[in-house]
Amino acid sequence: MTVTTVGSVDVYPMRGAPGAWEMLLLQRAPHTRCTGAWEVVHGHIQHDETPPHAAVRELREETGLGIARLYNVTVQPFYLHTIDTVMLAVVFAAMVNGDSDVVLGPEHERAAWLSVQEAMARVAWPRSRAVMQDILALVGSGSAGPVEDVLRVL
């Protein structure tokens, strides 16, 4: 029987200011899953973690970046046929300090800070483009406004 589990996080690192946001994309390294694809930070939630803790850890592991503010944005389902599981990814927007250097982990060969439009054109997964639009709608002004208390995690 197919299983459904909340098992991963997607993290959309952002820097800049309203009207001039940039998003960080990472290009997968050779000999990894989806070699050459441009993606956002993502990874598995460990058994002792909450989704926000996994988001902070994954961002640190994959980029070396810390988070100034973290917002929950949505939850996205996808199917992993190799383990017959519908995985739910908890999606976050992570506002980071603009002057921090990206330090890549072994899964990625390149990083690029791109305008949201450039990131939408380059990212491999269509669902990522939709999330970028949601992020702009929710926190594009620099905060979540009247729903800040519901969406802001850190």
Side-chain angles (χ1 to χ4, degrees):
M1 169 169 266
T2 303
V3 175
T4 301
T5 187
V6 177
S8 67
V9 293
D10 291 346
V11 185
Y12 289 72
M14 306 171 58
R15 71 177 184 187
W21 291 112
E22 292 181 314
M23 291 202 172
L24 181 67
L25 294 185
L26 307 176
Q27 187 177 36
R28 300 287 298 177
H31 312 295
T32 63
R33 172 194 57 73
C34 300
T35 296
W38 286 91
E39 300 177 336
V40 298
V41 171
H42 62 274
H44 295 285
I45 300 170
Q46 295 177 357
H47 75 281
D48 60 343
E49 287 182 311
T50 64
H53 289 116
V56 170
R57 177 186 51 76
E58 287 290 342
L59 185 67
R60 176 73 63 198
E61 287 176 3
E62 295 186 12
T63 69
L65 297 174
I67 295 173
R69 285 180 286 150
L70 185 68
Y71 292 91
N72 74 72
V73 177
T74 191
V75 175
Q76 290 202 318
F78 60 98
Y79 180 64
L80 294 174
H81 68 277
T82 56
I83 58 173
D84 193 28
T85 299
V86 174
M87 185 74 68
L88 301 175
V90 183
V91 180
F92 296 93
M95 294 183 179
V96 302
N97 294 327
D99 57 351
S100 300
D101 291 330
V102 174
V103 178
L104 293 176
E107 296 176 44
H108 303 100
E109 65 178 345
R110 283 195 282 178
W113 283 106
L114 304 166
S115 72
V116 177
Q117 292 304 316
E118 290 170 322
M120 289 173 71
R122 189 175 298 186
V123 74
W125 301 103
R127 64 189 171 146
S128 294
R129 288 189 280 283
V131 167
M132 289 177 194
Q133 291 175 333
D134 290 346
I135 289 170
L136 286 181
L138 291 169
V139 297
S141 69
S143 76
V147 294
E148 181 87 2
D149 62 327
V150 174
L151 297 183
R152 186 166 174 180
V153 178
L154 297 173

